[in-house]
Amino acid sequence: KVFIELTLVVAVFFIVSTGGHAYHSECVNKWIVVKQGRNEIPSCPMCRAEISKEQCTKFKVIFSILI
């Protein structure tokens, strides 16, 4: 038997706070734009910790299948 591995990128997420809360990239981007539009400092939707570019860590959720 020969196995072929299919790797699919499911989604891109960002860890946005020191609490390690992760959000889908498009969702958190919308959240940040709304906060900035209100002249507010963007914060984590869960813990309200300030979001800074330095704190954001991008990661991908990957799903692999062997067939």
Side-chain angles (χ1 to χ4, degrees):
K1 291 183 177 182
V2 175
F3 288 97
I4 299 171
E5 183 176 358
L6 291 175
T7 302
L8 307 168
V9 175
V10 175
V12 176
F13 288 81
F14 285 98
I15 297 175
V16 298
S17 71
T18 54
H21 300 118
Y23 301 95
H24 185 260
S25 59
E26 290 179 26
C27 297
V28 79
N29 283 339
K30 288 178 186 176
W31 175 260
I32 290 169
V33 167
V34 167
K35 294 294 252 180
Q36 289 174 335
R38 295 178 182 164
N39 291 322
E40 297 176 12
I41 296 171
S43 60
C44 174
M46 281 191 108
C47 67
R48 304 294 184 220
E50 186 177 321
I51 296 174
S52 68
K53 289 182 182 180
E54 295 78 28
Q55 285 180 308
C56 289
T57 305
K58 183 178 181 178
F59 69 97
K60 295 178 182 178
V61 175
I62 298 174
F63 183 68
S64 295
I65 305 171
L66 289 177
I67 48 177

